[in-house]
Amino acid sequence: MIHLFSGCRVHLKRSISFVASTVGELAASTTVKDPVTVNGWVLRSQKFGKMLFVRLYDGLSPSNIQVIVPRNVCKSLAVGSAVRIDGRWKPSQGSEQMMELEASSIQILASDDKPIYEENSPDVLREQVHLRVKHPGFSALLRMRSLLFSHLHSFYQKNGFIYIDAPALTSNDCEGAGETFSVQASKANFFGSEKHMYLSVSGQLHLEAMANGLSRVYSFGNIFRADIQQFSRTHMSEFRMLEVEVAFCDSLDEICSMVEECIQSAVEFVRVHQIELHLIKSFQKEKNDSFCDEWLFNSKPFPRIRYSDALKILEQHGQASKNAGLSKTNELFLVSHFRSPVFITHFPTEAKPFYMKRTSDGLTESFDLLMPIAGEVVGGSVREENSQLIAEGNPDKEHLNWYSEIRRRGKPISAGFGIGFDRLVQSLTGVNNIRDTIPFPRMVKIKNKYALVQLLTDEAKCKLQPLNIYREIMQLISEMHGDLGFSKSARLIVKVADNDIFVVRTPKDGADVTLSALPFLRSVKGVRVVCNTLFVGRSIRSLEKRLITIRRKELAGRLSHCKSLYEKRKLLEALKSVTGRIKFDQTESSDEEDTP
């Protein structure tokens, strides 16, 4: 029997019933509960008299509770152990907490051989992604990510948008850039007439099709990009994208305002979770500019400037832009300049895909929203409504004829945007590396070689800049090895290691080309130099060890020529302080690193 309800809403509320309570539920309760069961991991364990005092957490919230364990119930509990505890939730006799759990029985379900995670840096934990959830800062980040994901869904549902499942498998490259992952089935002709199938680089085109009958739509799916050049701290090969399409919208200002309302809503949401943010900061060993925290508490409107005006600002401050578009360095400079997220609008035609509406002066009705740390987080545009222009610019006429057809089948003009969810999390939480915003990051893996290079100059006060060194090396490579050599070294990076010593990172397959050019480095921006390659290794760690040896030998040599006790004491202190530590993120790209 089918019951039809007209003119009324039926709300059915049902929650999952668990036998065990959560740590967060108990921590928030001041009511005596007996009996009670709780599961979790041992955060701390300490013996005192005939009792064992344990701090327990379950990862579902930042809370932990105190458990009092009589020795006859359990003699010892190792940190990191997974346990199930039955007992009584009662008022505490201690001063540090109002309530505590008195254990009557304990089951040890698993143990941890090396329960030390907080001391490990993000770089170390990135090599053990299956274990880093044990770090309290990373687990806090995943909780924040989950909460923000749910909040954004709720934001668009409340504003009348319809959720669309965009396909993960597609026969076209939406951006037309060829940065796709090809999919092959084990069975021949699995996809029928479709000779090629790819993992989706965007759901936007499919959203436009849905906007031809549903005027406000959004998707929140996984996106895949196979660009081998994108191996910086703000790029991944698989990431999540929130994409929105609004029919009957022909105003760039209107779509920018929609984006700003969404971002401001996310900012306000994140502000509330100060405990989580504090834990996330403990996960970051490198401190960001205080501005990265400051902007979260500044609710002023985001500035909006044209691309041409952005170029003028960059030129005034000695920031060169590359080709048509902005480099990551340019983006972050503009964010810092305005001390706020900033909209850059009206990019030139050659910098944007074919589906963006063109203007008569060779520009597009497009925008990027730049935010702290991540740079570009949101990109969008008013869509081209002319089916003929779409057909002419279509990079894949065989598979995208339908995209032109919808414009002849009643689709009105529309506008939309895509928000890189992982970059948004990065910007809101202050995380330095985007690969620390997701449990299992997927990215291109490139083998590199590292050269420790000393540049000697007669000009004592001259400070050589990595950008200028980079340019001179690339010029030499181009002269000596032509375009092929230049392309092999295209991902070369130069970093300051210690005063006159620099690190040159080069892809392994281009190492011979780069190393052959270094001895011929005679000048850097008019300053005469002598280039001495001290060491070539496969990792930063090997360079650090060699740098320690080099600096200690230098200091020991000077120590033998000291004339005063004061000089000897200072040199001995310097010897003890030599660490050889090189601050070098192995995931950054030359696009970010070629600035002084």
Side-chain angles (χ1 to χ4, degrees), residues 61-169:
S61 71
S63 302
N64 61 73
I65 59 173
Q66 177 167 279
V67 183
I68 307 299
V69 185
R71 295 289 294 275
N72 62 343
V73 173
C74 184
K75 292 183 179 180
S76 65
L77 275 178
V79 172
S81 298
V83 295
R84 175 173 296 140
I85 301 177
D86 297 310
R88 179 172 180 263
W89 185 245
K90 66 179 188 65
S92 175
Q93 296 180 0
S95 58
E96 295 185 6
Q97 60 281 318
M98 292 181 62
M99 305 289 285
E100 62 189 13
L101 180 63
E102 183 178 15
S104 57
S105 70
I106 293 180
Q107 289 178 264
I108 301 176
L109 305 176
S111 60
D112 191 337
D113 296 335
K114 298 177 182 178
I116 302 173
Y117 302 98
E118 291 185 62
E119 297 177 6
N120 291 333
S121 69
D123 290 337
V124 173
L125 291 170
R126 215 172 290 132
E127 297 174 0
Q128 301 175 315
V129 292
H130 58 293
L131 294 176
R132 61 180 178 169
V133 70
K134 306 287 283 185
H135 191 291
F138 188 68
S139 60
L141 192 144
L142 293 184
R143 287 194 296 270
M144 179 66 79
R145 180 186 172 94
S146 175
L147 290 169
L148 187 59
F149 181 80
S150 177
H151 171 76
L152 291 174
H153 263 296
S154 177
F155 177 84
Y156 283 101
Q157 292 284 332
K158 288 178 180 177
N159 281 281
F161 284 77
I162 306 299
Y163 176 77
I164 300 295
D165 287 306
L169 292 174

Side-chain angles (χ1 to χ4, degrees), residues 243-286:
E243 297 182 273
V244 175
E245 197 70 26
V246 183
F248 305 102
C249 179
D250 59 359
S251 167
L252 190 61
D253 279 334
E254 184 179 351
I255 204 71
C256 285
S257 296
M258 291 182 194
V259 171
E260 186 164 353
E261 288 174 17
C262 174
I263 299 299
Q264 291 285 20
S265 172
V267 168
E268 292 172 5
F269 179 78
V270 168
R271 279 185 199 148
V272 176
H273 297 83
Q274 287 298 306
I275 296 177
E276 302 284 26
L277 286 176
H278 178 74
L279 287 170
I280 292 169
K281 285 180 182 178
S282 72
F283 182 57
Q284 296 301 307
K285 300 300 180 184
E286 294 182 25

Side-chain angles (χ1 to χ4, degrees), residues 319 327 329 465-467 494 590-596:
Q319 290 275 332
S327 69
T329 302
Q465 300 291 354
L467 171 60
V494 178
S590 57
D591 184 44
E592 296 181 38
E593 291 305 313
D594 60 1
T595 55

